[in-house]
Coordinates of all heavy atoms in Angstrom, one line a residue:
M1 N -5.6 -22.8 -44.0 CA -7.0 -22.9 -43.4 C -7.2 -22.0 -42.2 O -8.2 -21.3 -42.1 CB -7.2 -24.4 -43.0 CG -8.5 -24.7 -42.4 SD -9.7 -24.6 -43.8 CE -11.2 -25.0 -42.9
K2 N -6.1 -21.9 -41.4 CA -6.2 -21.1 -40.2 C -6.3 -19.6 -40.6 O -7.1 -18.9 -40.0 CB -5.0 -21.4 -39.3 CG -5.1 -20.8 -37.9 CD -3.9 -21.2 -37.1 CE -4.0 -20.7 -35.7 NZ -2.9 -21.1 -34.9
R3 N -5.5 -19.2 -41.6 CA -5.6 -17.8 -42.0 C -7.0 -17.5 -42.6 O -7.5 -16.4 -42.3 CB -4.5 -17.6 -43.1 CG -3.2 -17.1 -42.6 CD -2.4 -16.6 -43.7 NE -1.3 -17.5 -43.8 CZ -0.5 -17.7 -44.9 NH1 -0.7 -17.0 -45.9 NH2 0.5 -18.5 -44.9
L4 N -7.6 -18.4 -43.3 CA -8.9 -18.1 -43.9 C -9.9 -17.9 -42.8 O -10.8 -17.0 -42.8 CB -9.3 -19.3 -44.8 CG -10.6 -19.1 -45.5 CD1 -10.6 -17.9 -46.4 CD2 -10.9 -20.4 -46.3
V5 N -9.9 -18.8 -41.8 CA -10.8 -18.7 -40.6 C -10.6 -17.3 -39.9 O -11.6 -16.7 -39.6 CB -10.7 -19.9 -39.7 CG1 -11.5 -19.7 -38.4 CG2 -11.0 -21.2 -40.4
K6 N -9.3 -16.9 -39.7 CA -9.1 -15.7 -39.0 C -9.6 -14.5 -39.9 O -10.2 -13.5 -39.3 CB -7.6 -15.5 -38.8 CG -7.0 -16.2 -37.6 CD -5.6 -15.8 -37.4 CE -5.0 -16.5 -36.2 NZ -3.6 -16.1 -36.0
K7 N -9.4 -14.5 -41.1 CA -9.9 -13.4 -42.0 C -11.4 -13.3 -41.9 O -12.0 -12.2 -41.9 CB -9.4 -13.6 -43.4 CG -8.0 -13.3 -43.6 CD -7.6 -13.4 -45.1 CE -6.1 -13.0 -45.3 NZ -5.7 -13.1 -46.7
V8 N -12.1 -14.5 -42.0 CA -13.6 -14.5 -41.9 C -14.0 -14.0 -40.6 O -15.0 -13.2 -40.5 CB -14.1 -15.9 -42.2 CG1 -15.6 -16.0 -42.0 CG2 -13.8 -16.3 -43.7
A9 N -13.4 -14.4 -39.5 CA -13.8 -14.0 -38.2 C -13.6 -12.5 -38.0 O -14.4 -11.8 -37.4 CB -13.0 -14.8 -37.1
K10 N -12.5 -12.0 -38.5 CA -12.2 -10.5 -38.4 C -13.2 -9.7 -39.2 O -13.7 -8.7 -38.7 CB -10.8 -10.2 -38.9 CG -9.7 -10.6 -37.9 CD -8.4 -10.1 -38.3 CE -7.3 -10.5 -37.3 NZ -5.9 -10.1 -37.8
A11 N -13.6 -10.2 -40.3 CA -14.6 -9.5 -41.2 C -15.9 -9.5 -40.5 O -16.6 -8.5 -40.5 CB -14.7 -10.2 -42.5
I12 N -16.3 -10.6 -39.9 CA -17.6 -10.6 -39.1 C -17.5 -9.7 -37.9 O -18.4 -8.9 -37.7 CB -17.9 -12.1 -38.7 CG1 -18.2 -12.9 -39.9 CG2 -19.1 -12.1 -37.7 CD1 -18.4 -14.4 -39.6
W13 N -16.4 -9.7 -37.2 CA -16.2 -8.8 -36.0 C -16.3 -7.4 -36.4 O -17.0 -6.6 -35.8 CB -14.9 -9.1 -35.3 CG -14.6 -8.3 -34.1 CD1 -13.8 -7.3 -34.0 CD2 -15.3 -8.5 -32.8 NE1 -13.8 -6.8 -32.7 CE2 -14.8 -7.5 -32.0 CE3 -16.3 -9.3 -32.4 CZ2 -15.2 -7.4 -30.7 CZ3 -16.7 -9.2 -31.1 CH2 -16.1 -8.2 -30.2
R14 N -15.6 -7.0 -37.5 CA -15.7 -5.6 -38.0 C -17.1 -5.2 -38.5 O -17.6 -4.1 -38.3 CB -14.7 -5.4 -39.1 CG -13.3 -5.3 -38.7 CD -12.4 -5.0 -39.8 NE -11.0 -5.3 -39.5 CZ -10.2 -6.1 -40.2 NH1 -10.7 -6.7 -41.3 NH2 -9.0 -6.4 -39.8
G15 N -17.8 -6.2 -39.0 CA -19.2 -6.0 -39.5 C -20.2 -5.7 -38.4 O -21.2 -5.1 -38.6
T16 N -19.8 -6.2 -37.2 CA -20.8 -6.0 -36.0 C -20.5 -4.7 -35.3 O -21.1 -4.5 -34.3 CB -20.7 -7.2 -35.1 OG1 -19.3 -7.3 -34.6 CG2 -21.1 -8.5 -35.7
L17 N -19.5 -3.9 -35.7 CA -19.2 -2.7 -35.0 C -20.4 -1.7 -34.9 O -20.6 -1.2 -33.8 CB -18.1 -1.9 -35.8 CG -17.6 -0.6 -35.1 CD1 -17.0 -1.0 -33.7 CD2 -16.6 0.1 -36.0
P18 N -21.3 -1.5 -35.9 CA -22.4 -0.7 -35.7 C -23.4 -1.2 -34.6 O -24.1 -0.5 -34.0 CB -23.1 -0.7 -37.1 CG -22.1 -1.0 -38.0 CD -21.1 -1.9 -37.3
L19 N -23.4 -2.5 -34.4 CA -24.3 -3.1 -33.4 C -23.6 -3.0 -32.0 O -24.3 -2.9 -31.0 CB -24.5 -4.6 -33.7 CG -25.3 -4.9 -35.0 CD1 -25.4 -6.4 -35.3 CD2 -26.7 -4.3 -34.9
R20 N -22.3 -3.2 -32.0 CA -21.6 -3.1 -30.7 C -21.4 -1.7 -30.2 O -21.4 -1.5 -28.9 CB -20.2 -3.7 -30.9 CG -20.2 -5.2 -31.0 CD -18.8 -5.7 -31.1 NE -18.2 -5.4 -32.4 CZ -16.9 -4.9 -32.6 NH1 -16.1 -4.8 -31.5 NH2 -16.5 -4.6 -33.8
R21 N -21.3 -0.7 -31.0 CA -21.0 0.7 -30.6 C -22.0 1.2 -29.5 O -21.6 1.7 -28.5 CB -20.9 1.6 -31.8 CG -20.4 2.9 -31.4 CD -20.2 3.8 -32.6 NE -19.2 3.3 -33.6 CZ -19.4 3.2 -34.9 NH1 -20.5 3.7 -35.5 NH2 -18.5 2.7 -35.7
P22 N -23.3 1.1 -29.7 CA -24.3 1.6 -28.7 C -24.1 0.9 -27.4 O -24.2 1.5 -26.3 CB -25.6 1.4 -29.3 CG -25.4 1.1 -30.7 CD -24.0 0.6 -30.9
F23 N -23.9 -0.4 -27.4 CA -23.8 -1.2 -26.2 C -22.5 -0.7 -25.4 O -22.5 -0.6 -24.2 CB -23.7 -2.7 -26.4 CG -25.1 -3.2 -26.9 CD1 -25.2 -3.7 -28.2 CD2 -26.1 -3.2 -26.0 CE1 -26.4 -4.2 -28.6 CE2 -27.4 -3.7 -26.5 CZ -27.5 -4.2 -27.8
L24 N -21.4 -0.6 -26.2 CA -20.2 -0.1 -25.6 C -20.3 1.3 -25.0 O -19.8 1.5 -23.9 CB -19.0 -0.2 -26.6 CG -18.6 -1.6 -27.0 CD1 -17.5 -1.5 -28.1 CD2 -18.0 -2.4 -25.8
H25 N -21.0 2.1 -25.7 CA -21.2 3.5 -25.2 C -22.0 3.5 -23.9 O -21.7 4.2 -22.9 CB -21.9 4.3 -26.3 CG -22.1 5.7 -25.8 ND1 -21.1 6.6 -25.6 CD2 -23.3 6.4 -25.5 CE1 -21.6 7.8 -25.2 NE2 -23.0 7.7 -25.1
K26 N -23.1 2.7 -23.9 CA -23.9 2.6 -22.7 C -23.1 2.0 -21.5 O -23.2 2.4 -20.4 CB -25.2 1.8 -22.9 CG -26.2 2.5 -23.8 CD -27.4 1.6 -24.0 CE -28.4 2.4 -24.8 NZ -29.6 1.6 -25.1
F27 N -22.3 1.0 -21.8 CA -21.5 0.3 -20.8 C -20.4 1.3 -20.2 O -20.3 1.4 -19.0 CB -20.8 -0.9 -21.3 CG -20.0 -1.7 -20.3 CD1 -20.6 -2.3 -19.3 CD2 -18.6 -1.7 -20.4 CE1 -19.9 -3.0 -18.4 CE2 -17.9 -2.4 -19.5 CZ -18.5 -3.1 -18.5
E28 N -19.8 2.1 -21.1 CA -18.8 3.1 -20.6 C -19.4 4.2 -19.8 O -18.9 4.6 -18.8 CB -18.1 3.7 -21.8 CG -17.1 2.7 -22.4 CD -16.5 3.3 -23.7 OE1 -16.7 4.5 -24.0 OE2 -15.7 2.6 -24.3
S29 N -20.6 4.6 -20.2 CA -21.3 5.7 -19.4 C -21.8 5.1 -18.1 O -21.7 5.8 -17.0 CB -22.5 6.3 -20.2 OG -23.4 5.3 -20.4
Y30 N -22.2 3.9 -18.0 CA -22.6 3.2 -16.8 C -21.4 3.1 -15.8 O -21.5 3.5 -14.7 CB -23.2 1.9 -17.1 CG -23.4 1.0 -15.8 CD1 -24.5 1.3 -15.0 CD2 -22.6 0.0 -15.5 CE1 -24.7 0.6 -13.8 CE2 -22.8 -0.7 -14.3 CZ -23.9 -0.4 -13.5 OH -24.1 -1.2 -12.4
L31 N -20.3 2.7 -16.4 CA -19.1 2.6 -15.5 C -18.6 3.9 -15.0 O -18.2 4.1 -13.9 CB -17.9 1.9 -16.3 CG -18.0 0.4 -16.5 CD1 -16.8 -0.1 -17.3 CD2 -18.0 -0.3 -15.1
S32 N -18.7 5.0 -15.9 CA -18.2 6.3 -15.4 C -19.2 6.8 -14.3 O -18.7 7.5 -13.4 CB -18.2 7.3 -16.6 OG -19.4 7.5 -17.1
R33 N -20.5 6.5 -14.4 CA -21.4 7.0 -13.4 C -21.1 6.2 -12.1 O -21.2 6.8 -11.0 CB -22.8 6.7 -13.8 CG -23.4 7.7 -14.8 CD -24.9 7.6 -14.9 NE -25.4 6.3 -15.0 CZ -25.6 5.6 -16.1 NH1 -25.4 6.2 -17.3 NH2 -26.1 4.4 -16.1
C34 N -20.8 4.9 -12.2 CA -20.5 4.1 -11.0 C -19.2 4.5 -10.3 O -19.1 4.5 -9.1 CB -20.5 2.6 -11.3 SG -22.0 2.0 -11.8
L35 N -18.2 4.9 -11.1 CA -16.9 5.1 -10.5 C -16.7 6.6 -10.0 O -15.9 6.9 -9.2 CB -15.8 4.8 -11.5 CG -15.7 3.3 -11.9 CD1 -14.6 3.2 -13.0 CD2 -15.4 2.5 -10.7
R36 N -17.5 7.5 -10.5 CA -17.3 8.9 -10.2 C -17.5 9.2 -8.7 O -16.7 9.8 -8.0 CB -18.3 9.8 -11.0 CG -17.9 11.2 -11.0 CD -18.7 12.1 -11.9 NE -18.6 11.6 -13.3 CZ -19.5 11.4 -14.1 NH1 -20.8 11.6 -13.8 NH2 -19.3 11.0 -15.3
P37 N -18.6 8.7 -8.0 CA -18.7 8.9 -6.6 C -17.7 8.2 -5.8 O -17.3 8.7 -4.7 CB -20.1 8.4 -6.3 CG -20.8 8.2 -7.5 CD -19.8 8.1 -8.6
T38 N -17.2 7.1 -6.3 CA -16.2 6.3 -5.5 C -14.9 7.1 -5.4 O -14.3 7.1 -4.4 CB -15.9 5.0 -6.2 OG1 -17.1 4.3 -6.4 CG2 -14.9 4.2 -5.5
E39 N -14.5 7.9 -6.4 CA -13.3 8.7 -6.4 C -13.4 9.7 -5.2 O -12.5 9.9 -4.5 CB -13.1 9.4 -7.7 CG -12.7 8.4 -8.8 CD -12.7 9.1 -10.2 OE1 -13.1 10.3 -10.3 OE2 -12.4 8.4 -11.2
Q40 N -14.5 10.4 -5.1 CA -14.7 11.3 -4.1 C -14.7 10.7 -2.7 O -14.1 11.2 -1.7 CB -16.0 12.1 -4.3 CG -16.3 13.2 -3.2 CD -15.2 14.3 -3.3 OE1 -14.7 14.6 -4.3 NE2 -14.9 14.9 -2.1
Q41 N -15.3 9.5 -2.6 CA -15.4 8.8 -1.3 C -14.0 8.3 -0.9 O -13.6 8.4 0.2 CB -16.3 7.6 -1.4 CG -17.8 8.0 -1.5 CD -18.6 6.7 -1.7 OE1 -18.1 5.7 -2.0 NE2 -19.9 6.9 -1.7
L42 N -13.2 7.9 -1.9 CA -11.8 7.5 -1.6 C -11.0 8.7 -1.1 O -10.1 8.5 -0.2 CB -11.2 6.9 -2.9 CG -11.7 5.5 -3.2 CD1 -11.0 5.0 -4.5 CD2 -11.4 4.5 -2.1
T43 N -11.2 9.8 -1.7 CA -10.4 11.0 -1.3 C -10.8 11.4 0.2 O -9.9 11.6 1.0 CB -10.7 12.2 -2.2 OG1 -10.4 11.8 -3.6 CG2 -9.9 13.4 -1.8
D44 N -12.1 11.4 0.5 CA -12.5 11.6 1.8 C -12.0 10.6 2.8 O -11.6 10.9 3.9 CB -14.0 11.7 1.9 CG -14.6 12.9 1.1 OD1 -13.9 13.8 0.8 OD2 -15.8 12.9 0.8
E45 N -12.0 9.4 2.4 CA -11.6 8.3 3.2 C -10.1 8.4 3.5 O -9.6 8.2 4.6 CB -11.9 6.9 2.6 CG -11.6 5.7 3.5 CD -12.0 4.4 2.8 OE1 -13.0 4.4 2.1 OE2 -11.3 3.4 3.0
A46 N -9.3 8.8 2.5 CA -7.9 8.9 2.6 C -7.6 10.1 3.6 O -6.7 10.0 4.5 CB -7.2 9.2 1.3
N47 N -8.3 11.2 3.5 CA -8.1 12.3 4.4 C -8.4 11.9 5.8 O -7.6 12.2 6.8 CB -8.9 13.5 4.0 CG -8.5 14.1 2.7 OD1 -7.3 14.0 2.3 ND2 -9.3 14.8 2.0
T48 N -9.5 11.2 6.0 CA -9.9 10.8 7.4 C -8.8 9.8 7.9 O -8.4 9.9 9.1 CB -11.2 10.1 7.3 OG1 -12.2 10.9 6.8 CG2 -11.7 9.7 8.7
L49 N -8.3 8.9 7.1 CA -7.3 8.0 7.5 C -6.0 8.7 7.9 O -5.4 8.4 9.0 CB -7.0 6.9 6.4 CG -6.0 5.9 6.7 CD1 -6.4 5.0 7.9 CD2 -5.7 5.1 5.5
M50 N -5.6 9.7 7.2 CA -4.4 10.4 7.5 C -4.6 11.2 8.8 O -3.6 11.3 9.6 CB -4.1 11.4 6.3 CG -3.6 10.7 5.1 SD -2.1 9.6 5.4 CE -0.9 10.8 5.7
E51 N -5.8 11.7 9.0 CA -6.0 12.4 10.3 C -5.8 11.5 11.5 O -5.2 11.8 12.5 CB -7.4 13.1 10.3 CG -7.5 14.3 9.4 CD -9.0 14.8 9.3 OE1 -9.8 14.3 10.1 OE2 -9.2 15.7 8.5
H52 N -6.4 10.3 11.4 CA -6.2 9.3 12.4 C -4.8 8.9 12.6 O -4.3 8.7 13.8 CB -7.1 8.0 12.1 CG -8.6 8.3 12.3 ND1 -9.1 8.5 13.5 CD2 -9.6 8.3 11.4 CE1 -10.4 8.7 13.4 NE2 -10.7 8.6 12.1
V53 N -4.0 8.7 11.5 CA -2.6 8.4 11.7 C -1.8 9.5 12.4 O -1.0 9.2 13.3 CB -2.0 8.1 10.3 CG1 -0.5 8.0 10.3 CG2 -2.6 6.8 9.7
V54 N -2.1 10.7 12.0 CA -1.4 11.8 12.7 C -1.8 11.9 14.2 O -0.9 12.0 15.0 CB -1.8 13.2 12.0 CG1 -1.3 14.3 12.8 CG2 -1.1 13.2 10.6
R55 N -3.0 11.7 14.5 CA -3.4 11.7 15.9 C -2.7 10.6 16.7 O -2.3 10.8 17.8 CB -5.0 11.5 16.0 CG -5.7 12.7 15.7 CD -7.2 12.5 15.9 NE -7.9 13.6 15.3 CZ -9.2 13.6 14.9 NH1 -9.9 12.4 15.0 NH2 -9.8 14.6 14.5
E56 N -2.7 9.4 16.1 CA -2.0 8.3 16.7 C -0.5 8.5 16.9 O 0.1 8.2 18.0 CB -2.2 7.0 15.9 CG -1.7 5.7 16.6 CD -2.4 5.4 17.9 OE1 -3.5 5.9 18.2 OE2 -1.8 4.5 18.6
L57 N 0.1 9.2 15.9 CA 1.5 9.5 16.0 C 1.8 10.5 17.2 O 2.7 10.4 17.9 CB 2.1 10.1 14.7 CG 2.5 9.1 13.7 CD1 2.8 9.8 12.4 CD2 3.7 8.3 14.1
V58 N 0.9 11.5 17.3 CA 1.1 12.5 18.4 C 0.9 11.8 19.7 O 1.6 12.0 20.7 CB 0.0 13.6 18.2 CG1 0.0 14.5 19.4 CG2 0.4 14.4 17.0
R59 N -0.1 10.9 19.8 CA -0.4 10.2 21.1 C 0.8 9.3 21.5 O 1.3 9.3 22.6 CB -1.6 9.3 20.9 CG -2.0 8.6 22.3 CD -3.1 7.6 22.0 NE -2.7 6.5 21.3 CZ -2.0 5.4 21.9 NH1 -1.7 5.5 23.1 NH2 -1.6 4.4 21.1
L60 N 1.4 8.6 20.5 CA 2.6 7.8 20.8 C 3.8 8.6 21.1 O 4.6 8.2 22.0 CB 2.9 6.9 19.6 CG 1.8 5.8 19.3 CD1 2.2 5.0 18.0 CD2 1.8 4.8 20.4
Q61 N 4.0 9.7 20.5 CA 5.1 10.6 20.8 C 5.0 11.1 22.2 O 6.0 11.2 23.0 CB 5.2 11.7 19.8 CG 6.5 12.6 20.0 CD 7.8 11.8 19.9 OE1 7.9 11.0 19.0 NE2 8.7 12.0 20.8
R62 N 3.8 11.5 22.6 CA 3.6 12.0 24.0 C 3.9 10.8 25.0 O 4.5 11.1 26.0 CB 2.2 12.4 24.2 CG 1.9 13.7 23.6 CD 0.4 14.1 23.9 NE 0.1 15.4 23.2 CZ -1.1 15.8 23.1 NH1 -2.1 15.1 23.5 NH2 -1.3 17.0 22.4
Q63 N 3.5 9.6 24.7 CA 3.7 8.5 25.5 C 5.2 8.2 25.6 O 5.7 7.9 26.7 CB 3.0 7.3 25.0 CG 2.9 6.1 26.0 CD 2.0 5.0 25.5 OE1 1.6 5.0 24.4 NE2 1.8 4.0 26.3
V64 N 5.9 8.3 24.5 CA 7.4 8.0 24.5 C 8.1 9.1 25.4 O 9.0 8.8 26.2 CB 7.9 8.0 23.1 CG1 9.4 8.1 23.1 CG2 7.5 6.7 22.4
D65 N 7.7 10.4 25.2 CA 8.3 11.5 26.0 C 8.0 11.2 27.5 O 8.9 11.5 28.3 CB 7.7 12.8 25.5 CG 8.2 13.2 24.1 OD1 9.2 12.7 23.7 OD2 7.5 14.1 23.5
Y66 N 6.8 10.8 27.8 CA 6.5 10.6 29.2 C 7.3 9.5 29.8 O 7.9 9.6 30.9 CB 5.0 10.3 29.4 CG 4.6 9.8 30.8 CD1 4.5 10.8 31.8 CD2 4.4 8.5 31.1 CE1 4.2 10.4 33.1 CE2 4.0 8.1 32.3 CZ 3.9 9.0 33.4 OH 3.6 8.6 34.6
L67 N 7.5 8.4 29.0 CA 8.3 7.2 29.5 C 9.7 7.6 29.6 O 10.4 7.2 30.6 CB 8.1 6.0 28.6 CG 6.7 5.4 28.6 CD1 6.6 4.3 27.5 CD2 6.4 4.7 29.9
Q68 N 10.2 8.4 28.7 CA 11.6 8.8 28.8 C 11.8 9.7 30.0 O 12.8 9.5 30.7 CB 12.0 9.6 27.5 CG 13.5 10.0 27.4 CD 13.8 10.7 26.1 OE1 13.0 10.9 25.3 NE2 15.1 11.0 26.0
Q69 N 10.9 10.6 30.3 CA 11.0 11.4 31.4 C 11.0 10.6 32.7 O 11.7 10.9 33.7 CB 9.9 12.5 31.4 CG 10.1 13.5 32.5 CD 11.3 14.4 32.4 OE1 11.7 14.7 31.3 NE2 11.9 14.6 33.5
T70 N 10.1 9.6 32.7 CA 10.0 8.8 33.9 C 11.3 8.0 34.2 O 11.8 7.9 35.3 CB 8.8 7.8 33.7 OG1 7.6 8.5 33.5 CG2 8.6 6.9 35.0
V71 N 11.9 7.4 33.1 CA 13.1 6.7 33.2 C 14.2 7.6 33.7 O 15.0 7.3 34.6 CB 13.5 6.1 31.9 CG1 15.0 5.6 31.9 CG2 12.6 4.9 31.6
E72 N 14.3 8.9 33.2 CA 15.3 9.8 33.6 C 15.1 10.2 35.1 O 16.1 10.4 35.8 CB 15.3 11.0 32.7 CG 15.8 10.8 31.3 CD 15.7 12.0 30.4 OE1 15.2 13.0 30.9 OE2 16.1 11.9 29.3
D73 N 13.9 10.3 35.5 CA 13.6 10.7 36.9 C 13.9 9.6 37.9 O 14.3 9.8 39.0 CB 12.1 11.1 37.1 CG 11.8 12.4 36.4 OD1 12.7 13.1 36.0 OD2 10.6 12.6 36.2
L74 N 13.8 8.3 37.5 CA 14.0 7.2 38.3 C 15.5 6.7 38.4 O 15.9 6.1 39.3 CB 13.2 6.0 37.9 CG 11.7 6.1 38.1 CD1 11.0 4.9 37.5 CD2 11.3 6.3 39.5
T75 N 16.3 7.1 37.4 CA 17.7 6.7 37.4 C 18.5 7.7 38.3 O 18.3 8.9 38.2 CB 18.3 6.6 36.0 OG1 18.1 7.9 35.4 CG2 17.6 5.5 35.2
P76 N 19.4 7.2 39.1 CA 20.3 8.1 39.9 C 21.3 8.8 39.0 O 21.6 8.3 37.9 CB 21.0 7.1 40.9 CG 20.9 5.8 40.3 CD 19.7 5.8 39.4
E77 N 21.8 9.9 39.4 CA 22.7 10.7 38.6 C 24.0 10.0 38.3 O 24.5 10.1 37.2 CB 23.0 12.0 39.3 CG 21.8 13.0 39.2 CD 21.5 13.4 37.8 OE1 22.4 13.7 37.0 OE2 20.3 13.5 37.5
S78 N 24.5 9.2 39.3 CA 25.8 8.6 39.1 C 25.7 7.5 38.0 O 26.6 7.2 37.3 CB 26.3 8.0 40.4 OG 25.4 7.0 40.9
G79 N 24.6 6.8 38.0 CA 24.4 5.7 37.0 C 23.5 6.1 35.9 O 22.7 5.3 35.4
K80 N 23.6 7.3 35.5 CA 22.7 7.9 34.4 C 22.9 7.1 33.1 O 24.0 6.9 32.7 CB 23.0 9.4 34.2 CG 22.0 10.0 33.3 CD 22.2 11.5 33.3 CE 21.1 12.1 32.4 NZ 21.2 13.5 32.3
L81 N 21.8 6.7 32.5 CA 21.9 6.0 31.3 C 22.2 7.0 30.1 O 21.8 8.1 30.2 CB 20.5 5.4 31.0 CG 20.0 4.3 32.0 CD1 18.6 3.9 31.6 CD2 21.0 3.2 32.0
A82 N 22.9 6.5 29.2 CA 23.3 7.3 28.0 C 22.6 6.8 26.8 O 22.4 5.7 26.6 CB 24.8 7.2 27.8
I83 N 22.1 7.8 26.1 CA 21.4 7.5 24.8 C 22.4 7.5 23.7 O 23.4 8.3 23.8 CB 20.3 8.5 24.5 CG1 19.2 8.5 25.6 CG2 19.7 8.3 23.2 CD1 18.2 9.6 25.5
A84 N 22.3 6.6 22.8 CA 23.3 6.4 21.7 C 23.5 7.8 21.0 O 22.6 8.5 20.7 CB 22.8 5.4 20.7
G85 N 24.8 8.2 20.9 CA 25.1 9.5 20.3 C 25.3 10.5 21.3 O 25.9 11.6 21.0
E86 N 25.0 10.3 22.6 CA 25.2 11.3 23.6 C 26.4 10.9 24.5 O 26.6 11.6 25.5 CB 23.9 11.4 24.5 CG 22.7 12.0 23.8 CD 21.5 12.1 24.7 OE1 21.6 11.7 25.8 OE2 20.5 12.6 24.2
I87 N 27.1 9.9 24.2 CA 28.3 9.5 25.0 C 29.4 10.4 24.6 O 29.7 10.6 23.5 CB 28.6 8.0 24.8 CG1 27.5 7.1 25.1 CG2 29.9 7.6 25.5 CD1 27.6 5.6 24.8
A88 N 30.1 10.9 25.7 CA 31.2 11.8 25.4 C 32.3 11.0 24.8 O 32.5 9.8 25.1 CB 31.7 12.4 26.7
P89 N 33.1 11.6 23.9 CA 34.2 10.9 23.2 C 35.3 10.4 24.1 O 36.0 9.4 23.9 CB 34.7 11.8 22.2 CG 34.0 13.1 22.4 CD 32.9 12.9 23.4
D90 N 35.5 11.1 25.3 CA 36.6 10.7 26.2 C 36.2 9.5 27.1 O 37.0 9.0 27.8 CB 37.0 11.9 27.0 CG 35.9 12.5 27.9 OD1 34.7 12.3 27.5 OD2 36.2 13.1 28.9
D91 N 34.9 9.2 27.2 CA 34.5 8.0 28.0 C 34.9 6.7 27.3 O 34.8 6.6 26.1 CB 32.9 8.0 28.1 CG 32.4 9.2 29.0 OD1 33.2 9.8 29.7 OD2 31.2 9.4 28.9
K92 N 35.4 5.8 28.2 CA 35.9 4.5 27.7 C 34.7 3.6 27.8 O 34.1 3.4 28.8 CB 37.0 4.0 28.5 CG 38.3 4.9 28.3 CD 39.4 4.3 29.1 CE 40.7 5.2 28.8 NZ 41.8 4.7 29.6
L93 N 34.4 2.9 26.7 CA 33.3 1.9 26.7 C 33.9 0.6 27.1 O 35.0 0.2 26.7 CB 32.7 1.9 25.3 CG 32.1 3.2 24.8 CD1 31.6 3.0 23.4 CD2 30.9 3.6 25.7
R94 N 33.1 -0.1 27.9 CA 33.6 -1.4 28.4 C 32.6 -2.5 27.9 O 31.4 -2.3 27.9 CB 33.7 -1.5 29.9 CG 34.7 -0.5 30.4 CD 34.7 -0.6 31.9 NE 35.6 0.5 32.4 CZ 35.6 0.9 33.6 NH1 34.7 0.3 34.5 NH2 36.3 1.9 34.0
A95 N 33.1 -3.6 27.5 CA 32.2 -4.7 27.1 C 32.0 -5.6 28.3 O 32.9 -5.9 29.1 CB 32.8 -5.5 26.0
G96 N 30.8 -6.1 28.5 CA 30.5 -7.1 29.5 C 30.2 -6.5 30.8 O 30.0 -6.8 31.8

């Protein structure tokens, strides 16, 4: 029984193809018109976003450089802080 219902439903669905085709074509053309400007807007938006990210990175790097220079200027030479990787191999490291 189920197979018979499926066959009848498929036959009816295939029979409505000439009626569905114009609607599907109009719907696809409508969607393509709606989405076309969005693609350009997304590209422009992504470029603008990347420019802002780069500006922020430059600003933060300048701030880090300034803070590092300030720390170096305020620390005395005898107690100079070492940055990881800049410790001489002959220096003994102490815990605590």
Side-chain angles (χ1 to χ4, degrees):
M1 180 72 179
K2 192 174 181 180
R3 266 193 249 161
L4 181 63
V5 171
K6 280 187 177 182
K7 285 184 181 183
V8 170
K10 283 184 182 182
I12 292 172
W13 182 253
R14 287 187 198 123
T16 61
L17 183 63
L19 297 174
R20 288 182 289 137
R21 190 178 296 138
F23 291 112
L24 290 176
H25 179 67
K26 287 181 182 180
F27 182 68
E28 287 176 3
S29 63
Y30 171 75
L31 282 180
S32 66
R33 283 193 317 266
C34 290
L35 295 177
R36 197 172 300 131
T38 305
E39 293 170 356
Q40 183 63 32
Q41 290 172 352
L42 287 177
T43 304
D44 293 341
E45 186 176 326
N47 289 339
T48 304
L49 179 64
M50 290 304 291
E51 288 175 6
H52 286 294
V53 168
V54 169
R55 286 181 188 157
E56 185 66 14
L57 278 172
V58 169
R59 186 188 70 78
L60 290 173
Q61 185 61 45
R62 285 181 184 165
Q63 191 173 8
V64 167
D65 291 341
Y66 173 75
L67 290 173
Q68 183 177 3
Q69 185 64 39
T70 304
V71 167
E72 289 175 0
D73 291 345
L74 293 175
T75 56
E77 285 298 318
S78 61
K80 188 172 183 181
L81 299 176
I83 298 174
E86 292 183 358
I87 300 173
D90 59 336
D91 290 343
K92 293 182 181 179
L93 299 176
R94 297 181 189 163

